[in-house]
Amino acid sequence: MEHEGERTDGWALYEIFIRARAGLDHKHVGSVHATDARMALEHARDVYTRRQEGISIWVVRSADILASDPADADALFEPARDKVYRHPTFYDIPDEVKTL
Amino acid sequence: MYTQGLDAAGREPAPPDAASDAEREARFQARVDAEEKIEPKDWMPEAYRRTLIRQISQHAHSEIVGMLPEGNWITRAPSLLRKTILMAKVQDEGGHGAYLYAAAETLGVSREELVDQLLDGRAKYSSIFNYPTLTWADIGAIGWLVDGAAIMNQIPLCRCSYGPYARAMVRICKEESFHQRQGFEIMLKLARGATAQKNMAQDALNRWWWPSLMMFGPSDVDSKHSAQSMRWKIKRFSNDELRQKFVDFTAPQAEFLGLAVPDPELAWDESTQHYRFGSIDWREFEDVLKGHGPCNRERLEARRKAHEDGRWVREAAVAHAAKRAATARVAA
């Protein structure tokens, strides 16, 4: 099926993720248009790493990403709100107990 | 950047809840007032979406057209270093255009549609790029004044209520600082050089000063989009406030260069702690916006030619990708 914004002329939108330094996660930085993933990688290199912003690039076709809907935010994330016992600060430990 | 492609699941948009548009608009405004960022898939008033598409695309077009006056000097830069710097700067402008088109696309408009609007003359871009670059000093003046004015406009946009636009502006502002400093350094070299060089710098300042002040847009009393954009926190300061700030920053820099700002009324006002300056020729501004500036036709023709000349490359890229995909399928 054809998606909103999906191009029909052989070009597609790719989302770009960059690892800034070894030890860090890849982070979303933007998007580029390309005819295939390899071209997306080349464009991402020119558009997003002109000043040594990265040592590694991932490209993903935008159409292949499934994103949650903001309208579902409550259903998805609200259940975590009242589970304070999942955090270490929930528990009262006497001061004299060390290294806990 | 969080593109419209993220709707790829093929799911129907959530059915409208019972809330009326007025209620949704009130909720939206409350989020904006609380300095929350609005993201692409969030509900937003149609007018907010339209305003952003107009502003972000005009901004993108300005970056792209802005490559032309400077590109004019790449082959004639006075040294190899200046040439590499100028190429890096012009490449940045292209990159800024790309970030901004991507931000506009998150609002549900395609880049092709925006580019078409530029090429057929429906879309506006910054009036400043319709002035010619006659001498090398113009490259210095553009970096110092034009990029300086752009930074003044763009720094508040880093806090704009629309997430993708704000994030694009953070990246752009980091890079603009290099543009402004390299421009000032060119002016400094010329101002401290031979008499002919100093005259060249003065001439460039004479020609670029007033058009740079016009970059902030019409004065507050005549600015038709300002009030709503301020409410939506797309805009944080008025045109006149930013213009004043620019004059306050720039006048002492001109003095440092030993160059004269072409405004006999420019003077420090001790009581307001600001510079006073003369009135702007708004007729010139309107004329340039309407297409009657010195280079409007040339700029659009250059963009159209580049677009047409690039057509075969775009088509060849599609054919190449298709062929490679077919080969990969056979091999598999």
Side-chain angles (χ1 to χ4, degrees):
Chain A
M1 83 170 257
E2 192 185 314
H3 308 299
E4 189 202 350
E6 181 83 321
R7 291 179 66 162
T8 52
D9 58 359
W11 289 67
L13 207 52
Y14 287 81
E15 298 302 315
I16 310 304
F17 299 80
I18 292 190
R19 185 200 294 284
R21 286 195 313 278
L24 297 181
D25 296 324
H26 284 77
K27 190 175 166 229
H28 183 248
V29 293
S31 52
V32 299
H33 290 244
T35 54
D36 62 14
R38 189 188 305 209
M39 185 198 267
L41 202 64
E42 286 160 2
H43 284 179
R45 177 254 189 203
D46 288 341
V47 176
Y48 294 108
T49 64
R50 292 195 300 283
R51 290 180 175 76
Q52 296 181 291
E53 288 94 336
I55 56 160
S56 164
I57 304 173
W58 287 352
V59 303
V60 181
R61 249 180 96 109
S62 309
D64 290 337
I65 293 179
L66 173 59
S68 64
D69 191 317
D72 297 338
D74 276 354
L76 289 172
F77 309 117
E78 198 275 332
R81 200 172 297 154
D82 59 359
K83 296 179 176 56
V84 282
Y85 49 83
R86 288 180 174 170
H87 297 277
T89 45
F90 176 74
Y91 301 93
D92 277 332
I93 306 290
D95 285 348
E96 49 270 41
V97 183
K98 301 297 178 198
T99 66
L100 194 72
Chain B
M1 311 194 160
Y2 302 99
T3 64
Q4 68 281 16
L6 295 188
D7 292 322
R11 210 177 107 166
E12 290 304 311
D17 53 37
S20 68
D21 267 8
E23 285 167 36
R24 274 194 263 193
E25 207 150 331
R27 268 207 308 261
F28 171 86
Q29 188 61 48
R31 288 187 62 195
V32 169
D33 290 343
E35 298 287 339
E36 268 182 54
K37 294 287 182 217
I38 306 302
E39 295 295 343
K41 297 182 78 182
D42 295 342
W43 186 89
M44 61 186 84
E46 261 319 292
Y48 177 82
R49 184 187 300 275
R50 277 199 309 274
T51 298
L52 279 169
I53 291 176
R54 192 192 66 241
Q55 179 170 336
I56 300 173
S57 62
Q58 283 178 5
H59 195 160
H61 300 328
S62 303
E63 301 283 355
I64 299 298
V65 177
M67 297 166 84
L68 298 169
E70 294 185 290
N72 180 38
W73 278 90
I74 287 178
T75 56
R76 291 173 288 155
S79 71
L80 187 56
L81 177 62
R82 289 291 177 199
K83 185 174 181 159
T84 47
I85 292 171
L86 188 54
M87 281 197 292
K89 179 177 190 298
V90 172
Q91 190 192 17
D92 275 356
E93 308 298 0
H96 297 178
Y99 311 151
L100 288 163
Y101 283 127
E105 282 185 297
T106 63
L107 294 157
V109 62
S110 74
R111 189 174 71 181
E112 296 66 57
E113 164 64 12
L114 298 175
V115 170
D116 284 347
Q117 287 176 5
L118 171 67
L119 297 182
D120 68 22
R122 268 176 297 159
K124 287 197 173 71
Y125 55 86
S126 180
S127 59
I128 194 83
F129 300 116
N130 291 313
Y131 292 86
T133 41
L134 303 177
T135 72
W136 171 251
D138 289 14
I139 299 305
I142 286 180
W144 172 39
L145 300 174
V146 175
D147 290 300
I151 291 173
M152 209 60 88
N153 261 322
Q154 288 169 353
I155 286 187
L157 287 173
C158 297
R159 293 191 293 128
C160 157
S161 59
Y162 188 57
Y165 192 26
R167 290 191 286 276
M169 292 317 305
V170 168
R171 187 177 292 275
I172 289 174
C173 283
K174 278 186 198 159
E175 300 179 352
E176 291 285 2
S177 177
F178 140 59
H179 298 176
Q180 191 189 19
R181 290 171 66 110
Q182 66 86 37
F184 187 80
E185 199 210 26
I186 290 174
M187 295 301 274
L188 190 60
K189 280 268 159 52
L190 293 172
R192 290 181 175 171
T195 310
Q197 287 174 303
K198 187 167 178 180
N199 291 344
M200 196 194 277
Q202 180 64 57
D203 170 63
L205 174 55
N206 292 348
R207 283 180 292 107
W208 291 94
W209 175 258
W210 290 107
S212 298
L213 294 195
M214 293 174 197
M215 282 176 70
F216 295 93
S219 100
D220 294 350
V221 281
D222 300 319
S223 178
K224 54 180 176 184
H225 302 303
S226 277
Q228 184 55 264
S229 285
M230 294 273 236
R231 244 188 324 274
W232 280 331
K233 298 192 193 287
I234 295 172
K235 224 174 142 90
R236 298 274 177 169
F237 299 98
S238 78
N239 296 351
D240 287 336
E241 283 172 316
L242 291 169
R243 188 167 12 243
Q244 181 67 56
K245 206 167 162 190
F246 176 74
V247 173
D248 289 346
F249 279 26
T250 314
Q253 294 166 355
E255 201 173 320
F256 181 86
L257 291 171
L259 300 176
V261 172
D263 177 359
E265 293 176 49
L266 183 80
W268 176 251
D269 185 334
E270 198 54 49
S271 64
T272 60
Q273 293 290 299
H274 289 295
Y275 280 88
R276 275 189 311 239
F277 56 97
S279 48
I280 290 167
D281 180 0
W282 292 114
R283 226 180 22 212
E284 176 182 327
F285 176 71
E286 292 295 334
D287 274 354
V288 177
L289 271 192
K290 282 190 196 122
H292 309 306
C295 301
N296 295 58
R297 262 182 50 159
E298 191 186 325
R299 299 292 184 237
L300 268 191
E301 275 165 16
R303 282 312 315 155
R304 287 189 193 121
K305 182 173 185 306
H307 195 70
E308 277 313 306
D309 289 354
R311 186 178 296 280
W312 74 268
V313 180
R314 295 191 293 276
E315 289 169 359
V318 172
H320 181 63
K323 192 174 161 188
R324 197 146 61 184
T327 313
R329 270 197 301 277
V330 170

